[in-house]
Amino acid sequence: MIHKFDVVIVGAGGAGLRAAVEIPKEYSCAVISKVFPTRSHTGTAQGGVCAALSNEEEDSWLNHAFDTVKGSDYLGDQDAIEIMCQDAPRAIIELEHMGMPFSRTKEGKIAQRMFGGHTKPDDPNDPNSKRHSVKRACYSADRTGHVMLQTLYENCIKNNVNFFSEYFITDLIIEDGICKGLTAIDMATSEIHTFQAKAIMFATGGYGRVFRITSNAHVGTGDGCALVYNAGLPLEDMEFFQFHPTGLWRLGILVSEAARGEGGILRNNKHEPFMEVYAPTVKDLAPRDMVSRAIISEIRAGRGILGSDGTYYIDLDLTHLGKKVIDEKIPEITGFARTYLGVEPTKECVPIQPTAHYAMGGIPTNFDTEVLADNSGNKIKGFYAAGECACVSVHGGNRLGTNSLLDIVVFGRRGGKKISEYLKTAEEHTFNTDPADKTRELMNKLLVQTGNEKISVIRRELQENMMDKCGIFRNQADLEQMKVKIKELQQRYCSITILDKSKVFNTDLIETIELGNLLDIAESINESALNRTESRGAHTRVDFPKRDDAGWMKHSFIWKNTTGGDPKIGYKPVVVTQFQPMERKY
Ligand SMILES: Cc1cc2nc3c(=O)[nH]c(=O)nc-3n(C[C@H](O)[C@H](O)[C@H](O)COP(=O)(O)OP(=O)(O)OC[C@H]3O[C@@H](n4cnc5c(N)ncnc54)[C@H](O)[C@@H]3O)c2cc1C
């Protein structure tokens, strides 16, 4: 079946929906999602979305931009960061006007809380003075993403957006340098659908499922990035993957930074608050890469707390916050601790460990979300990407908490605007060949191939190895071993037998395709990590412990080698406007 639209957006998270809201009603717009739209991962975001609104204390977008650049370990492109931070207050007021129910101050203004790495100078007249944490994150208790997603979904319905829920995209059709459409499987029937459009946007989210312990939903398998990689296009900065310091021990379910923003403290096995050793000024509110490394360092130094299964964790102490703060400000996350670990956060510490959380790298775009064909700035006509799957890059080597919900609404909207402008003169395309062919071939191949391998076994091996060898601390020997492991798993992938041959909700088939995507993503992360011989942001090479601005203040681009050899790597300079690199101390 062939569908024709002016614009097709893949992904119904915040980025995709915000873009769809922006498309004028005279154009036809479809949003495709492999889950029901409001089940997209944006709905799980807890802590907040930041903007220098100055509702609780004086602040400025320049403070926000400085923090974002510093948080990115000077890898973020400063022109894009300036756009995002300057636009943030407008974006938040706009969400409020759309109907998003924010928590309020006593005066009825949008409430704001502290979050890691968000600071302002002690002396407002001297930007170089010492800095302290500032209340910049706008929130809705600890359900900020949930209310944002519901609000955007309602606004899409109002804007006559067509939804294709539980459709799984399998192919991106680029012919003659133009993005013409895509193919998808209707998961309910396994029927192949072709979507023809003048403009396509990918807003397919992250790929935390490449790691064993992750805060990401099961759908976070990087399908969009993998399709781009397989189409011979580059991915950018794939070595930078953020571990959030506080996932529930063994489960990875997120305990938002809001817990520390409200005053929570990390403690080791001596009940000592150790963060003051690692970040003397902002302590527990240091950026995530630093806190995650501090936790692992405490555990490695023998100061972790031994769990019942022989693994170690660290305590997150919320007991001093009192029942009122816990119940009103962080009800969801403390509920998770009760439900999943049987811990009562008003009386006991919550066992935590770092959890794979956010992809800084992804599909390279300019700040109007146009996808880049290479590292020289050429573009693919009609192709856009926004949100976590994209790399603008505003987060550089490490994202600050609450900057992603901001990124998705700011750049989702910019993408929607750019597409609307493009549609004024865009022509309808025709396909050179039957666009469904590749998906038909893929389905046939996977359903008939036989062997002794199981999806769950290969996935587990991939995730565990990525965690051990390509996680928070990395070194050459581990990364080389991981490279061999990925090659082995890619071989074994061809011997998976799909037992379910039926057409109705064949989740075995979908999971097999997702696993193939995870393997591609793992290859791009590992190879980029092996290549970058310095430590910056979330990428820590113990064999190259220093940041090397002379050699490495540049973005990496990686291309798949379609003939089976090693991927190709290239570079793009970082855009510096007003913030010169300096040592990152907190
Ligand atoms: C637990 C958790 C808490 C977080 N808390 C915060 C926070 O407080 N503040 C903050 O700023 N950030 C937070 N983040 C990060 C932030 O929520 C995400 O980065 C952001 O919401 C991603 O939005 P997105 O629109 O790019 O993608 P997503 O919301 O992940 O949506 C991706 C969409 O793509 C679709 N899709 C993917 N593959 C396919 C396919 N093959 N076919 C069809 N559809 C497909 C999915 O169905 C989905 O609709 C949190 C993240 C997590 C995991």
Side-chain angles (χ1 to χ4, degrees):
M1 191 182 286
I2 297 196
H3 308 267
K4 278 191 188 175
F5 289 97
D6 289 316
V7 46
V8 170
I9 297 168
V10 187
L17 296 190
R18 183 60 194 84
V21 167
E22 203 59 32
I23 305 294
K25 276 197 179 123
E26 66 256 34
Y27 297 119
S28 58
C29 171
V31 171
I32 302 175
S33 171
K34 64 177 173 175
V35 292
F36 188 78
T38 50
R39 294 192 61 209
S40 301
H41 191 67
T42 296
T44 67
Q46 302 168 349
V49 45
C50 65
L53 285 180
S54 303
N55 280 359
E56 306 250 8
E57 56 184 307
E58 200 49 41
D59 197 4
S60 75
W61 76 263
L62 265 177
N63 285 340
H64 184 184
F66 171 82
D67 286 338
T68 304
V69 171
K70 185 176 171 192
S72 82
D73 222 348
Y74 295 89
L75 192 73
D77 284 329
Q78 297 185 13
D79 50 354
I81 291 173
E82 286 172 358
I83 287 177
M84 181 176 81
C85 298
Q86 218 166 349
D87 194 32
R90 187 209 54 76
I92 298 299
I93 303 298
E94 180 183 69
L95 285 166
E96 184 190 36
H97 290 177
M98 281 185 192
M100 180 161 160
F102 284 102
S103 293
R104 298 282 160 179
T105 63
K106 279 196 200 82
E107 305 80 50
K109 292 182 185 168
I110 293 173
Q112 298 189 274
R113 59 164 55 121
M114 290 182 198
F115 243 79
H118 290 281
T119 63
K120 67 176 191 179
D122 291 349
D123 175 358
N125 300 318
D126 175 11
N128 296 323
S129 70
K130 261 180 70 182
R131 301 176 80 90
H132 60 272
S133 294
V134 67
K135 291 184 174 177
R136 187 177 291 150
C138 312
Y139 62 93
S140 198
D142 54 358
R143 305 183 185 99
T144 315
H146 174 80
V147 298
M148 178 185 277
L149 196 60
Q150 299 287 337
T151 306
L152 290 173
Y153 182 60
E154 285 161 12
N155 281 274
C156 281
I157 301 287
K158 200 162 92 182
N159 202 27
N160 297 344
V161 173
N162 301 276
F163 281 96
F164 290 84
S165 288
E166 299 183 337
Y167 276 59
F168 184 94
I169 58 150
T170 45
D171 198 16
L172 169 68
I173 299 147
I174 297 176
E175 290 170 341
D176 318 316
I178 304 171
C179 184
K180 296 183 177 175
L182 44 89
T183 48
I185 301 174
D186 175 1
M187 291 160 73
T189 60
S190 292
E191 202 181 329
I192 300 174
H193 292 249
T194 298
F195 291 83
Q196 194 174 346
K198 292 175 193 160
I200 302 275
M201 176 185 264
F202 269 17
T204 48
Y207 37 82
R209 285 279 149 186
V210 85
F211 296 98
R212 171 85 182 91
I213 300 287
T214 177
S215 67
N216 284 196
H218 285 274
V219 288
T221 51
D223 305 340
C225 294
L227 281 174
V228 165
Y229 190 54
N230 278 297
L233 296 174
L235 295 175
E236 182 176 352
D237 290 341
M238 294 301 284
E239 61 273 41
F240 295 100
F241 198 94
Q242 176 172 83
F243 278 73
H244 191 294
T246 57
L248 286 186
W249 173 56
R250 287 191 308 179
L251 301 169
I253 296 172
L254 193 74
V255 179
S256 166
E257 212 165 281
R260 280 171 289 134
E262 296 297 342
I265 296 170
L266 294 165
R267 295 184 186 278
N268 59 22
N269 65 358
K270 299 193 179 85
H271 208 60
E272 288 164 352
F274 56 86
M275 273 315 296
E276 55 197 47
V277 179
Y278 299 89
T281 52
V282 291
K283 300 183 185 121
D284 292 84
L285 285 175
R288 293 173 177 175
D289 54 337
M290 290 188 163
V291 185
S292 291
R293 281 193 292 269
I295 290 174
I296 300 295
S297 302
E298 285 295 297
I299 292 176
R300 287 188 177 173
R303 294 190 289 273
I305 301 156
L306 184 59
S308 51
D309 68 346
T311 63
Y312 289 87
Y313 60 84
I314 286 292
D315 270 341
L316 172 63
D317 186 1
L318 306 172
T319 52
H320 54 287
L321 300 186
K323 195 167 174 337
K324 190 168 166 359
V325 169
I326 287 183
D327 288 350
E328 283 175 15
K329 298 236 172 122
I330 43 175
E332 288 274 303
I333 51 184
T334 44
F336 293 156
R338 289 185 193 108
T339 308
Y340 297 108
L341 294 181
V343 166
E344 177 45 58
T346 52
K347 299 194 182 108
E348 302 162 89
C349 292
V350 182
I352 57 92
Q353 75 180 103
T355 182
H357 185 59
Y358 183 82
M360 270 77 70
I363 305 164
T365 68
N366 61 19
F367 47 64
D368 281 321
T369 76
E370 294 168 301
V371 172
L372 303 181
D374 53 38
N375 45 347
S376 324
N378 293 309
K379 296 177 280 190
I380 300 285
K381 206 170 160 193
F383 192 25
Y384 303 79
E388 192 171 338
C389 71
C391 183
V392 183
S393 127
V394 280
H395 310 301
N398 172 64
R399 171 174 75 85
L400 290 189
T402 68
N403 260 351
S404 175
L405 288 185
L406 177 63
D407 166 1
I408 63 181
V409 290
V410 166
F411 291 99
R413 170 175 172 272
R414 287 182 74 88
K417 280 200 183 305
K418 195 72 191 172
I419 290 173
S420 309
E421 207 181 292
Y422 172 71
L423 288 177
K424 285 183 193 156
T425 53
E427 288 160 17
E428 213 168 275
H429 319 295
T430 47
F431 294 118
N432 299 351
T433 52
D434 182 352
D437 276 352
K438 247 173 101 181
T439 299
R440 214 172 283 129
E441 252 172 56
L442 175 75
M443 282 172 81
N444 288 343
K445 183 174 131 242
L446 293 177
L447 286 167
V448 300
Q449 76 181 28
T450 51
N452 296 328
E453 295 293 348
K454 287 202 175 95
I455 312 165
S456 55
V457 174
I458 295 183
R459 190 172 49 212
R460 177 58 74 102
E461 271 186 55
L462 174 72
Q463 293 170 329
E464 270 171 6
N465 278 282
M466 281 298 282
M467 202 77 195
D468 288 349
K469 302 194 167 67
C470 192
I472 295 176
F473 288 105
R474 299 164 168 173
N475 65 63
Q476 180 161 352
D478 282 353
L479 295 167
E480 301 272 13
Q481 280 175 24
M482 190 67 221
K483 183 171 174 164
V484 174
K485 187 75 197 171
I486 294 169
K487 288 223 160 76
E488 175 208 311
L489 295 174
Q490 280 168 336
Q491 293 273 318
R492 284 167 54 194
Y493 177 79
C494 303
S495 305
I496 289 176
T497 304
I498 297 179
L499 294 173
D500 182 359
K501 307 286 181 199
S502 76
K503 291 198 174 302
V504 177
F505 283 107
N506 190 338
T507 49
D508 270 5
L509 173 66
I510 298 294
E511 279 184 39
T512 310
I513 302 174
E514 287 177 335
L515 176 58
N517 291 338
L518 284 178
L519 286 165
D520 280 330
I521 294 295
E523 174 186 284
S524 67
I525 297 175
N526 193 68
E527 195 67 24
S528 306
L530 192 53
N531 185 60
R532 187 176 282 269
T533 47
E534 66 154 354
S535 291
R536 181 185 297 270
H539 171 68
T540 309
R541 285 282 303 254
V542 286
D543 42 354
F544 298 95
K546 289 234 155 62
R547 191 176 88 194
D548 169 11
D549 286 342
W552 283 104
M553 211 171 122
K554 56 190 179 188
H555 300 287
S556 25
F557 275 50
I558 186 164
W559 287 259
K560 182 173 179 148
N561 185 331
T562 38
T563 55
D566 285 347
K568 195 185 111 194
I569 298 218
Y571 304 100
K572 191 176 144 223
V574 172
V575 179
V576 176
T577 55
Q578 49 180 321
F579 306 107
Q580 291 309 313
M582 54 182 182
E583 196 192 344
R584 198 162 151 251
K585 281 196 287 202
Y586 287 92

